[in-house]
Amino acid sequence: MSTTSPVTSSATSPATSPATSPATSSATLVASDLDRTLIYSTAALDLRMPDAEAPRLLCVEVYGHKPLSYMTETAAALLTELAGATVFVPTTTRTREQYHRIHLPGPAPRYAICANGGHILVDGVSDHDWQQQVEARIADECAPLTEIRAHLATTADPAWLLKERVAENLFAYLVVERSLLPEEWVKELAVWAAERGWTVSLQGRKIYAVPVPLTKSAAMNEVARRTGATRTLAAGDSLLDADLLLAADLGWRPGHGELADHDWRAPHVVALEERGGAAGEEILRRFLAASTT
């Protein structure tokens, strides 16, 4: 079935920031989610082939002195080529600290989008003007984060709640024991949050509560404005990526993740069959092919 995202894509007034750069020579901007779209944990790689046929892997993130996230070497080569041919913008719900743990192959991206659009990084540094615009809009249109956190604290059951976290003082998320999590609780939370200008997304073991104006699409459109990009390509696997995919000229989603589970579709978004690391490779192939046509 076809559904629409609970995340509303909203245009944000252009920033008049000193970080704004002249238009680049690349007319195509590629905004891609990272986790479970381009990079994968050991479990998310979904290596179903015989061990002897498994692809060579490149570790792109270490956490707690242990390897955490990977790409196939084929995907790494494709990303290096893509980054040299387009304005490649990593676009993630991760905080800035979490994003900086990732070391992608190829040239370092000039721009990156973190905290689901709450921060635009320019050469690794958050753009202050953009940050202020986002925070002001959230304050005007949404219930405060303190109210959301209080509700989560009083309704979440310690039997399945593992951790409660705040990201960049912009949104909250819970880490849960998924097998014990009641589906009805998530549905009730989504209804309650929507009445207060917030949206809810369940991704693996994490439940995100995010203010509706906090979108990847608004940040992508701002970076496109700054770079002079005339065409946008996007990819993502979760409901928090739906607004990004809808705002892009062309998009792709893998055969796994929230969007696939909901059979989420849009006319200009290709639903791939590939899953896991193979999906990451295919998404990069599609980005490259589309950027040269």
Side-chain angles (χ1 to χ4, degrees):
M1 86 182 165
S2 176
T3 65
T4 56
S5 165
V7 184
T8 303
S9 175
S10 309
T12 305
S13 58
T16 55
S17 165
T20 302
S21 61
T24 69
S25 59
S26 299
T28 299
L29 183 148
V30 174
S32 182
D33 177 50
L34 295 178
D35 294 280
R36 292 172 60 87
T37 299
L38 293 188
I39 68 174
Y40 292 83
S41 67
T42 302
L45 278 167
D46 198 12
L47 300 175
R48 302 186 180 191
M49 70 289 292
D51 290 348
E53 299 175 12
R56 286 166 58 96
L57 301 174
L58 173 69
C59 178
V60 295
E61 179 185 15
V62 172
Y63 181 58
H65 309 290
K66 297 179 181 179
L68 182 62
S69 299
Y70 302 85
M71 304 177 74
T72 68
E73 287 193 348
T74 298
L78 291 168
L79 179 55
T80 300
E81 183 179 354
L82 180 72
T86 68
V87 179
F88 173 67
V89 184
T91 306
T92 180
T93 304
R94 286 181 176 230
T95 64
R96 288 169 289 173
E97 180 182 0
Q98 292 167 337
Y99 168 72
H100 284 306
R101 292 201 306 255
I102 301 171
H103 298 283
L104 296 172
R110 173 85 199 280
Y111 292 93
I113 294 167
C114 293
N116 211 64
H119 290 277
I120 292 176
L121 305 188
V122 185
D123 295 327
V125 179
S126 182
D127 182 273
H128 183 65
D129 288 350
W130 176 258
Q131 182 182 348
Q132 284 191 318
Q133 287 186 44
V134 171
E135 291 175 351
R137 186 164 183 194
I138 292 172
D140 288 343
E141 300 180 17
C142 306
L145 177 61
T146 51
E147 180 180 344
I148 306 304
R149 292 188 69 190
H151 182 79
L152 293 174
T154 56
T155 60
D157 189 335
W160 46 259
L161 176 62
L162 301 178
K163 299 176 184 177
E164 188 265 344
R165 294 287 186 266
V166 170
E168 302 277 15
N169 206 34
L170 290 170
F171 61 91
Y173 66 93
L174 307 179
V175 181
V176 303
E177 183 60 58
R178 184 69 180 265
S179 62
L180 300 178
L181 177 68
E183 290 186 12
E184 285 304 314
W185 186 87
V186 179
K187 293 177 182 178
E188 291 170 4
L189 174 64
V191 172
W192 180 89
E195 295 171 351
R196 290 157 178 80
W198 289 66
T199 188
V200 170
S201 174
L202 175 61
Q203 301 180 39
R205 298 194 308 146
K206 293 182 179 179
I207 301 170
Y208 291 90
V210 178
V212 170
L214 187 66
T215 64
K216 292 179 178 181
S217 61
M220 177 190 72
N221 289 335
E222 173 63 12
V223 176
R225 183 189 72 82
R226 295 186 187 194
T227 60
T230 58
R231 193 166 184 241
T232 53
L233 311 177
D237 70 294
S238 81
L239 289 173
L240 290 176
D241 296 313
D243 74 283
L244 177 70
L245 293 170
L246 290 172
D249 294 310
L250 287 173
W252 291 266
R253 69 160 174 83
H256 62 257
E258 269 189 315
L259 295 178
D261 292 345
H262 287 75
D263 196 25
W264 184 94
R265 297 177 184 272
H268 65 290
V269 177
V270 178
L272 299 173
E273 295 183 0
E274 290 83 0
R275 301 171 58 89
E281 288 185 7
E282 184 61 22
I283 286 168
L284 288 163
R285 291 189 187 96
R286 299 292 183 107
F287 278 152
L288 275 169
S291 67
T292 58
T293 58

